[in-house]
Structure formats: C-alpha cells, structure tokens
C-alpha cells in the first residue's frame, strides 16, 4: 500500500497536492534536477540522431529476408518471442552473413517492415489479377499485370520483386 498519507481526495482536486512531486518522489529536501527530467532525455536522444544511411542493396534485402525467415521458422522459438529478441536474432544472422555491414537493429527492423508491407500489397494486387481468371494468361503475364495494378492503386512501382520471389512460397505471401 502507499505509505503517503493524503488528507482527502478533495486536497488532490483542489490542487493542494502536487502530482509531479508525488510522481517523481520529490520533497523539499530533494529538488528535481534538470538532469533527472524526462524531457532532458528526449532532447538528448534527438541530438544523437544520426544521418540517414546508404540505401539497402538487392543483396542486403535478400539477406534480410533470409534472416527473417530463418529466425521466424525456427522450430524451437519461432515467432513466439519478444520483438527485441526476435529482431536481435535477425540482426545477428544478418551480421554473421555480411560482416562488413554497419546496419543497426532499428535499420533492419524498419527495412523489414517496408519489405513486408509492400510485398503484402503486391500479393493483394496479384490476388486480384488471379481472381479475374483470364484464360490464356501465363504466370509471368499475371505478375506483370499485378505490377501494373500495384502502380495504379498505390502510385508507385513495386520495388521488392526480388524479395517476393523468396517469400512467395510461404503462406503469408502466397497468392494461390
């Protein structure tokens, strides 16, 4: 139970009790220093922000997809682990196979999010083309039409075909 004694809820409502002092456990004998302030931490992290890195290459994208798949289909842990643990393992796999990389875990996590989001959108476009069930169209024709539909719907070109070619055999990204 809380060791502080409040005379009543009304004191809190009237402003007789300073919530900031209660939250930060400040008494008159121990003033709150600027270094202890949460706002100071936000300012400090914004100063540490690094410049944007170089673009990911096709090889790095493929390696990231392989790292994500190898980590997620692990029969012992799979995807039943905390996000930081999971992406830490993805980053370790990535770094083990590309030793000269300077990519951070945050960078890899963000890039995977982009690859996954765009690939799922493309699979949706491909599913729409497949649903039309046009006779005489080959798989290649369907993929080309799906790229056109993707550009029409999303206003940009699908850039991750090299990733989709790896992912298409897994249930989440399968269209047929």
């Amino acid at each position: 139970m809380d060791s502080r004694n409040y005379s009543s809820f009304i004191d809190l409502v009237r402003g007789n009790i300073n919530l900031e002092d209660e939250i930060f456990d400040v008494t008159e004998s121990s003033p709150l220093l600027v270094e202890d302030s949460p706002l100071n931490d936000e300012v400090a992290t914004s100063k540490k922000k690094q410049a944007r890195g170089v673009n990911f290459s096709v090889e790095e994208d493929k390696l990231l997809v392989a790292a994500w798949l190898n980590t997620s289909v692990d029969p012992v842990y799979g995807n039943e682990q905390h996000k930081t643990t999971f992406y830490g393992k993805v980053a370790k796999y990535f770094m083990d196979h590309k030793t000269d990389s300077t990519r951070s875990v945050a960078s890899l996590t963000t890039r995977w999010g982009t690859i996954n989001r765009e690939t799922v959108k493309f699979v949706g476009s491909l599913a729409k083309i497949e649903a039309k069930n046009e006779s005489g169209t080959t798989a290649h024709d369907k993929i080309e039409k799906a790229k056109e539909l993707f550009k029409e719907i999303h206003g940009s070109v699908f850039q991750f075909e090299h990733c989709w070619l790896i992912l298409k055999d897994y249930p989440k990204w399968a269209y047929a």
Side-chain angles (χ1 to χ4, degrees):
M1 197 105 201
D2 195 356
S3 63
R4 294 176 278 237
N5 293 321
Y6 297 122
S7 57
S8 70
F9 177 72
I10 297 171
D11 286 338
L12 180 65
V13 173
R14 288 183 182 157
N16 296 340
I17 299 172
N18 187 345
L19 283 179
E20 289 179 4
D21 291 348
E22 296 298 323
I23 292 170
F24 293 109
D25 198 27
V26 175
T27 62
E28 289 183 25
S29 62
S30 66
L32 181 64
L33 300 174
V34 175
E35 293 87 35
D36 298 333
S37 137
L39 180 59
N40 193 36
D41 291 342
E42 292 171 8
V43 172
T45 54
S46 67
K47 288 180 183 176
K48 293 179 186 176
K49 198 170 195 177
Q50 295 179 352
R52 186 177 180 277
V54 296
N55 291 341
F56 276 76
S57 67
V58 170
E59 291 76 24
E60 285 178 312
D61 283 346
K62 288 179 179 180
L63 180 58
L64 180 56
V65 168
W68 193 91
L69 287 172
N70 282 324
T71 305
S72 68
V73 298
D74 179 2
V76 177
Y77 298 107
N79 58 6
E80 299 295 324
Q81 50 194 318
H82 193 270
K83 179 181 176 180
T84 55
T85 304
F86 180 81
Y87 282 106
K89 290 178 182 179
V90 169
K92 182 180 179 332
Y93 182 96
F94 187 89
M95 297 303 175
D96 288 348
H97 292 82
K98 185 163 175 57
T99 55
D100 63 335
S101 177
T102 59
R103 304 288 185 187
S104 68
V105 175
S107 174
L108 295 172
T109 302
T110 301
R111 184 62 171 184
W112 169 254
T114 303
I115 290 170
N116 185 38
R117 182 184 65 243
E118 296 300 307
T119 304
V120 167
K121 287 179 188 178
F122 176 72
V123 169
S125 297
L126 192 55
K128 287 180 182 178
I129 297 299
E130 187 71 34
K132 290 182 179 180
N133 202 18
E134 296 176 346
S135 65
T137 57
T138 64
H140 178 73
D141 293 339
K142 291 177 184 178
I143 292 169
E144 292 304 315
K145 287 182 180 184
K147 287 181 192 177
E148 292 170 13
L149 181 61
F150 182 94
K151 184 174 182 177
E152 183 181 314
I153 293 171
H154 303 290
S156 62
V157 176
F158 178 59
Q159 308 175 50
F160 299 106
E161 185 175 0
H162 57 281
C163 297
W164 174 75
L165 290 171
I166 299 168
L167 295 168
K168 68 183 174 74
D169 297 324
Y170 292 88
K172 181 176 179 177
W173 300 278
Y175 67 93

